[in-house]
Amino acid sequence: MHIRRIVPDFQGTAPAASKEFYENVLGFKTVMDQGWIRTFAAPDNPTAQINVMERDASAPVNPDVSIEVDDVDRAYAAAKQMGCEMVHPLTDEPWGVRRFFVREPNGKVLNILTHR
């Protein structure tokens, strides 16, 4: 399986201040803004990203890390076969991703996704 990118997901309570910080202090660009989640990317390396979210609008918890894969259905099947705890079912989201949340052995919630 090919991993396309790994993005840390930070819970935020000050979206305007976060935007100002990442853009003005680090030079990041806002590459996605859904209101409840913003993705910031380094201008010289667009795959170096950070997600800041207040509350995931379509899942029961905020993930700790988002991992983009080339075959999310295969990853979902493998996680289910291992008996992993599914925190959020495999879902096609309206903003163009197919994803599921799984709890990894250390207790972290992973958002496994692919862009459609």
Side-chain angles (χ1 to χ4, degrees):
M1 178 172 316
H2 178 71
I3 305 297
R4 293 184 177 150
R5 68 187 171 116
I6 299 172
V7 181
D9 293 314
F10 298 146
Q11 183 156 352
T13 56
S18 288
K19 181 176 172 58
E20 184 177 354
F21 174 82
Y22 287 106
E23 289 181 350
N24 295 331
V25 174
L26 298 172
F28 278 44
K29 304 291 182 202
T30 301
V31 295
M32 183 185 74
D33 187 344
Q34 295 289 329
W36 59 272
I37 184 173
R38 286 175 184 79
T39 302
F40 303 99
D44 58 343
N45 181 0
T47 61
Q49 298 180 347
I50 296 170
N51 289 329
V52 179
M53 69 181 73
E54 296 175 62
R55 183 190 65 78
D56 194 304
S58 63
V61 299
N62 285 350
D64 295 296
V65 175
S66 292
I67 302 174
E68 184 181 359
V69 299
D70 62 344
D71 190 343
V72 72
D73 294 287
R74 185 171 135 209
Y76 182 74
K80 288 205 51 118
Q81 184 176 10
M82 282 189 67
C84 296
E85 178 188 349
M86 294 298 163
V87 179
H88 180 65
L90 187 61
T91 306
D92 291 318
E93 302 290 358
W95 61 90
V97 299
R98 183 168 172 81
R99 70 181 185 159
F100 69 95
F101 290 10
V102 62
R103 191 172 311 277
E104 58 92 53
N106 295 299
K108 300 297 182 189
V109 175
L110 307 181
N111 173 26
I112 310 296
L113 67 114
T114 194
H115 285 87
R116 291 182 280 136

